[in-house]
């Protein structure tokens, strides 16, 4: 009778011992590659391993083609590879991965391809209305949304895994839809890289709304602010990247913006801008009084560019650095039509306009964080389409603008070099608005 | 002679005194303090009940009661004075999950522990370079290299304490003393050390402070 339990115990012990020895000898494996948008360089990739890795050995043994300046961050796993912010990428990166874990077991040498370049998406006029389309690397356009009578707003999700749009039907009512995309920015071979695939299309809100405003952060969370036809039907719905939904108990007096790094929201109030966490905490929201509007966030650096409206109709551009009072970079009587900044808030771009001789003269300026104008260039014969954003592609150091010109019905997407401000290309395709979609 | 009733009274008083005097702040997380207080009260009541009970005088004396009584007396007489630096050096480095992540806190309002948690969740320190820092903690001696400014975080009590430390570029005119409590105002910077990007606090002002009433953080 006593032999059997003893035997069972011995077998269990042997199994545990065997499993332990097997696992001890198991080499480390790469589990996944995840492009990371919350970073300080021009692009970043998180590498998740099955074992705690030796970062120094991995850094020494891994090769990048083309050779670009980069750094490895993190302790063991995941490790983050950040491409330096001054690196400009024109092609995908070949990643020849090798190294060892902390037990000195070798990681099998393997090759991966990574294309961190964002995709150009545009709302294009098509038969039956408008449609969001994505331009492939070869210049072809592919649809990523259904056709709507009119599309009033498009917001690409910060993680590149979809777009949210507000479509307007013939009755003038609006619907909020989400087109889910599956990125193909990392692959074992170059041939498998490509534009994201549309995986599903679904409404985000039941029924129709009177208005809707969308905002996304770099994690891929989406804020949908909407109002219905009934009084008090305004709501702010947060759709997290992990699929969770929550209604935020916020009553803003205008469109809210999610902070790029997540966790908070900037909302306009009657006497300024308010910064508050998404989760209820004991801390009071931070207030920035004055007639200011949010111009652009500078990546995940915590910096932002504001446009301030003065009582004498002048406009100023301000840089907000965490913990400091807003710093005035520019003050003048020209209209500030759009602003953008880089991931570190070191370079700020602005389109300034003046109405002269019955036409708008616009100028694109590059301002340093100290407020010095380091470059400027007239946009003539083009003008920035009113209300359209200026967006920086940090991977290629290119600005994207929606440009129009006199006597032209539709706008065009303009690519401008981030340093020289020279126009690289104005894409000869009629659009309503162009934006970057992160590679994801 | 010390018997069960007086002994329970003594331990009850010891626990209540520890609860009342704030000594528990050095040993236990705040949420558990009331538990100790209630336990002290129960022991006190049990002691009184035993004293009032008949036949207690016939109880046999036991030597380990005396030891226990001595221990309670010592706890009452000698206030705890732990070396946080030594404790931090002996503890594992994994921080417990925070009770609530609020990284949108303005950086100058982040505590030292919140800074460390943020930097561990977000391994790209360049994102916070230049942010203002206003932290306090004790000086944690390192076997190699300059000391860190640190705090101990606890789930329950000192036994599960976990250190959270930040590198500081100590000015030449200032010599940090182990276990000294300091308040530091400055900015966060990033330095490359041993081919690693390390967040380092550049102090603009360092002042010596008394040990906080509640030095352990959740």
């Amino acid at each position: 009778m006593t032999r059997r339990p003893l035997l069972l115990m011995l077998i269990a012990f042997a199994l545990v011992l065997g499993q332990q020895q097997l696992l001890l000898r198991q080499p480390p494996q790469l589990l996944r590659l995840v492009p990371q948008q919350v970073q300080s360089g021009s692009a970043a990739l998180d590498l998740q391993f099955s074992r705690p890795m030796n970062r120094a050995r991995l850094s020494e043994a891994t090769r990048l083609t083309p050779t670009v300046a980069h750094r490895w961050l993190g302790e063991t796993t995941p490790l983050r590879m950040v491409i330096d912010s001054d690196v400009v990428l024109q092609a995908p990166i070949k990643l020849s991965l090798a190294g060892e874990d902390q037990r000195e077991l070798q990681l099998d040498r393997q090759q991966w391809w990574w294309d961190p370049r964002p995709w150009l998406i545009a709302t294009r006029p098509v038969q039956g209305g408008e449609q969001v389309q994505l331009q492939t690397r070869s210049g072809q356009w592919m649809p990523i949304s259904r056709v709507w009578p009119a599309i009033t707003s498009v917001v690409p999700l910060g993680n590149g895994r979809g777009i949210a749009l507000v479509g307007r039907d013939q009755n003038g009512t609006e619907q909020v839809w989400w087109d889910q995309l599956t990125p193909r920015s990392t692959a074992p071979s170059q041939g498998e890289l490509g534009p994201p695939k549309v995986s599903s299309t679904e409404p985000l809100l039941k029924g129709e709304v009177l208005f809707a405003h969308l905002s996304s952060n770099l994690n891929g969370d989406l804020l949908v602010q909407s109002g219905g036809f009934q009084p008090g039907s305004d709501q702010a719905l947060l759709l997290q990247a992990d699929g969770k939904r929550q209604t935020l108990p916020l009553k803003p007096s205008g469109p809210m913006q999610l902070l790029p790094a997540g966790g908070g929201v900037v909302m306009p109030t009657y006497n300024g801008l308010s910064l508050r966490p998404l989760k209820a905490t004991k801390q009071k929201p931070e207030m920035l009084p004055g007639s200011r509007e949010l111009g652009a966030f500078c990546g995940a650096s915590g910096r932002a560019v504001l446009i301030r409206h003065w009582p004498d109709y002048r406009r100023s551009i301000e840089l907000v650095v965490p913990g400091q009072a807003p710093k005035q970079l520019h003050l003048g009587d020209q209209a500030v039509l759009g602003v953008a900044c880089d991931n570190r808030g070191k370079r700020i771009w602005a389109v300034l306009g003046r109405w002269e001789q019955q036409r708008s003269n616009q100028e694109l300026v590059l301002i340093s964080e100290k407020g010095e104008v380091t470059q400027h260039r007239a946009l003539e014969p083009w003008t920035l389409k009113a209300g359209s954003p200026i967006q920086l592609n940090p991977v290629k150091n290119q600005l994207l603008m929606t440009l129009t010109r006199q006597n032209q019905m539709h706008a065009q997407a303009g690519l401008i070099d981030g340093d020289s401000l020279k126009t690289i290309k104005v894409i000869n395709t009629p659009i309503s608005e162009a934006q970057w979609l992160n590679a994801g | 002679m010390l018997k069960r009733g007086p002994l329970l009274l003594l331990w009850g008083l010891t626990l209540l005194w520890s609860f009342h005097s704030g000594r528990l702040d050095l040993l236990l997380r705040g949420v558990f303090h009331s538990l100790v207080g209630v336990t002290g009260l129960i022991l006190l009541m049990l002691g009184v009940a035993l004293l009032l009970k008949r036949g207690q005088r016939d109880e046999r004396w036991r030597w380990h009661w005396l030891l226990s009584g001595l221990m309670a007396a010592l706890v009452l007489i000698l206030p705890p004075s732990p070396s946080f630096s030594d404790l931090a050096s002996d503890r594992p480095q994994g921080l417990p999950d925070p009770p609530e992540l609020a990284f949108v806190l303005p950086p100058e309002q982040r505590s030292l522990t919140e800074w460390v948690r943020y930097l561990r969740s977000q391994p790209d320190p360049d994102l916070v370079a230049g942010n203002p820092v206003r932290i306090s903690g004790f000086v944690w001696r390192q076997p190699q290299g300059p000391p860190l400014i640190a705090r101990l975080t606890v789930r329950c009590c000192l036994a599960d304490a976990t250190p959270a430390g930040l590198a500081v570029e100590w000015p030449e005119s200032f010599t940090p003393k182990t276990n000294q409590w300091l308040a530091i105002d400055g900015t966060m910077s990033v330095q490359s050390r041993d081919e690693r990007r390390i967040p380092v606090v550049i102090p603009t002002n360092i002042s010596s402070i008394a040990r906080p009433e509640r030095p352990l953080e959740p």
Side-chain angles (χ1 to χ4, degrees):
Chain A
M1 285 296 283
T2 55
R3 273 189 185 176
R4 207 166 156 187
L6 192 67
L7 192 68
L8 282 173
M9 276 176 66
L10 276 173
I11 291 171
F13 177 73
L15 278 173
V16 169
L17 196 70
Q19 187 196 31
Q20 184 207 31
Q21 292 303 311
L22 192 74
L23 289 175
L24 266 175
R25 283 158 180 75
Q26 193 82 8
Q29 290 175 348
L30 175 71
L31 297 180
R32 58 185 165 268
L33 297 167
V34 183
Q36 176 60 251
Q37 309 300 334
V38 182
Q39 46 88 18
S40 62
S42 64
L45 188 66
D46 280 354
L47 294 91
Q48 181 81 45
F49 296 94
S50 61
R51 297 281 180 176
M53 299 298 289
N54 181 328
R55 189 175 49 127
R57 291 288 304 121
L58 191 91
S59 165
E60 281 167 23
T62 297
R63 297 280 171 270
L64 266 60
T65 313
T67 309
V68 289
H70 65 283
R71 56 190 189 274
W72 288 89
L73 302 172
E75 292 301 321
T76 54
T77 186
L79 293 174
R80 180 171 300 172
M81 186 180 67
V82 180
I83 307 292
D84 284 5
S85 57
D86 52 357
V87 169
V88 174
L89 290 171
Q90 301 291 355
I93 293 175
K94 187 167 101 175
L95 194 64
S96 182
L97 204 60
E100 61 186 37
D101 67 8
Q102 301 221 324
R103 303 163 304 163
E104 300 183 356
L105 290 180
Q106 295 289 321
L107 173 76
D108 287 340
R109 184 166 280 279
Q110 51 198 289
Q111 280 189 0
W112 286 87
W113 287 83
W114 172 40
D115 191 352
R117 295 173 296 169
W119 298 93
L120 178 73
I121 59 166
T123 309
R124 292 193 60 199
V126 293
Q127 198 174 12
E130 289 184 312
Q131 186 178 45
V132 183
Q133 297 189 358
L134 179 146
Q135 193 184 39
T136 63
R137 304 283 183 227
S138 62
Q140 302 293 310
W141 291 92
M142 57 173 262
I144 54 171
S145 82
R146 59 178 255 208
V147 176
W148 288 87
I151 294 174
T152 57
S153 169
V154 178
V155 168
L157 300 189
N159 58 359
R161 296 189 164 268
I163 57 162
L165 64 83
V166 182
R168 183 176 289 163
D169 59 22
Q170 282 93 347
N171 305 324
T173 55
E174 298 187 340
Q175 292 181 43
V176 186
W177 281 65
W178 174 39
D179 296 299
Q180 201 175 348
L181 302 171
T182 306
R184 291 188 295 155
S185 60
T186 56
S189 68
Q190 192 173 11
E192 291 173 73
L193 294 175
K197 282 184 176 169
V198 180
S199 43
S200 72
T201 301
E202 56 184 275
L204 279 177
L205 297 176
K206 282 180 189 166
E208 295 159 339
V209 292
L210 194 59
F211 74 89
H213 172 76
L214 308 170
S215 169
S216 179
N217 61 22
L218 295 172
N219 299 321
D221 303 326
L222 179 71
L223 179 69
V224 183
Q225 215 179 321
S226 64
F229 296 90
Q230 303 297 324
S233 60
D234 298 13
Q235 64 163 351
L237 182 69
L238 180 72
L239 299 124
Q240 292 173 222
D242 59 9
K244 290 178 189 160
R245 283 180 176 230
Q246 58 169 310
T247 304
L248 301 179
L250 301 174
K251 291 286 174 199
S253 60
M256 297 190 285
Q257 299 288 339
L258 290 176
L259 292 183
V265 66
V266 173
M267 51 188 274
T269 60
Y270 294 105
N271 52 353
L273 291 173
S274 159
L275 168 67
R276 58 177 66 216
L278 288 172
K279 285 183 182 172
T281 60
K282 287 175 190 167
Q283 65 170 134
K284 287 181 184 170
E286 268 196 289
M287 276 297 300
L288 193 58
S291 180
R292 293 177 161 103
E293 62 177 287
L294 180 67
F297 287 116
C298 308
S301 64
R303 295 184 172 199
V305 180
L306 306 180
I307 300 168
R308 187 170 188 184
H309 304 263
W310 293 86
D312 57 2
Y313 300 107
R314 288 182 302 169
R315 305 277 186 274
S316 62
I317 300 172
E318 296 177 332
L319 178 67
V320 183
V321 178
Q324 295 178 21
K327 185 178 174 182
Q328 186 171 287
L329 302 176
H330 163 87
L331 175 67
D333 54 4
Q334 290 165 297
V336 181
L337 300 160
V339 288
C341 55
D342 67 9
N343 278 356
R344 293 186 175 202
K346 306 269 184 195
R347 294 180 298 166
I348 295 96
W349 295 269
V351 172
L352 307 175
R354 197 190 298 275
W355 191 257
E356 285 171 335
Q357 294 170 344
Q358 294 196 327
R359 65 178 199 163
S360 174
N361 284 327
Q362 295 185 2
E363 183 185 39
L364 175 63
V365 292
L366 171 58
I367 310 172
S368 72
E369 62 178 328
K370 291 177 183 166
E372 297 158 348
V373 176
T374 55
Q375 190 65 266
H376 61 100
R377 196 168 289 274
L379 279 183
E380 205 179 1
W382 299 98
T383 53
L384 180 72
K385 185 180 176 185
S388 67
I390 309 173
Q391 292 180 343
L392 174 73
N393 167 0
V395 183
K396 293 182 80 173
N397 191 34
Q398 282 179 355
L399 290 170
L400 173 65
M401 296 199 282
T402 305
L403 300 171
T404 57
R405 62 196 300 177
Q406 261 190 333
N407 307 322
Q408 189 171 299
M409 206 174 117
H410 286 292
Q412 287 174 249
L415 297 172
I416 290 159
D417 183 82
D419 289 323
S420 68
L421 307 188
K422 284 181 182 164
T423 304
I424 299 166
K425 186 165 60 171
V426 177
I427 299 167
N428 191 19
T429 305
I431 60 161
S432 301
E433 188 177 274
Q435 295 189 71
W436 292 121
L437 170 72
N438 285 331
Chain B
M1 199 53 77
L2 196 61
K3 294 188 178 176
R4 269 198 304 175
L7 189 63
L8 288 178
L9 266 180
L10 185 60
W11 269 113
L13 279 172
T14 306
L15 293 190
L16 279 176
W17 172 246
S18 300
F19 172 74
H20 175 71
S21 65
R23 284 182 180 187
L24 287 182
D25 291 328
L26 290 173
L27 305 165
L28 206 60
R29 233 178 103 184
V31 288
F32 297 108
H33 288 193
S34 51
L35 202 65
V36 177
V38 170
T39 310
L41 208 60
I42 291 170
L43 288 178
L44 206 69
M45 286 158 61
L46 281 173
V48 171
L50 279 176
L51 277 179
L52 296 176
K53 196 177 165 189
R54 285 180 184 179
Q56 208 254 352
R57 289 167 189 231
D58 303 332
E59 200 172 38
R60 268 179 56 198
W61 177 84
R62 290 173 191 178
W63 65 270
H64 51 263
W65 292 356
L66 184 65
L67 277 181
S68 174
L70 270 174
M71 192 64 73
L74 283 173
V75 170
L76 274 177
I77 296 163
L78 302 173
S81 179
S83 165
F84 286 110
S85 179
D86 289 346
L87 193 65
S89 300
D90 294 338
R91 300 294 307 167
Q93 304 286 308
L95 279 181
D97 288 337
E100 194 171 61
L101 285 172
F103 293 146
V104 286
L105 276 175
E108 70 274 21
Q109 287 181 24
R110 284 180 197 147
S111 70
L112 194 152
T113 313
E114 284 164 338
W115 265 111
V116 175
R117 282 199 172 108
Y118 177 76
L119 291 163
R120 288 191 187 175
S121 72
Q122 174 49 261
D124 194 344
D126 286 276
L127 286 171
V128 290
N131 280 4
V133 177
R134 191 170 292 164
I135 51 175
S136 65
F138 63 89
V139 176
W140 180 14
R141 188 186 59 244
Q142 298 294 294
Q144 290 173 339
L148 308 180
I149 181 105
R151 280 278 185 149
L152 283 174
T153 62
V154 290
R155 287 186 182 87
C156 154
C157 44
L158 212 53
D160 67 24
T162 308
L166 275 177
V168 180
E169 192 167 275
W170 301 104
E172 283 181 14
S173 57
F174 182 83
T175 310
K177 293 175 196 155
T178 304
N179 284 322
Q180 185 183 16
W181 280 84
L182 300 172
I184 297 180
D185 288 354
T187 52
M188 187 62 80
S189 72
V190 186
Q191 296 179 1
S192 291
R193 294 182 184 173
D194 302 328
E195 298 181 1
R196 294 173 67 193
R197 301 285 288 166
I198 307 277
V200 179
V201 177
I202 309 287
T204 50
N205 185 43
I206 302 178
S207 48
S208 183
I209 55 168
R211 185 174 65 201
E213 279 187 12
R214 292 198 167 177
L216 306 176
E217 294 199 330

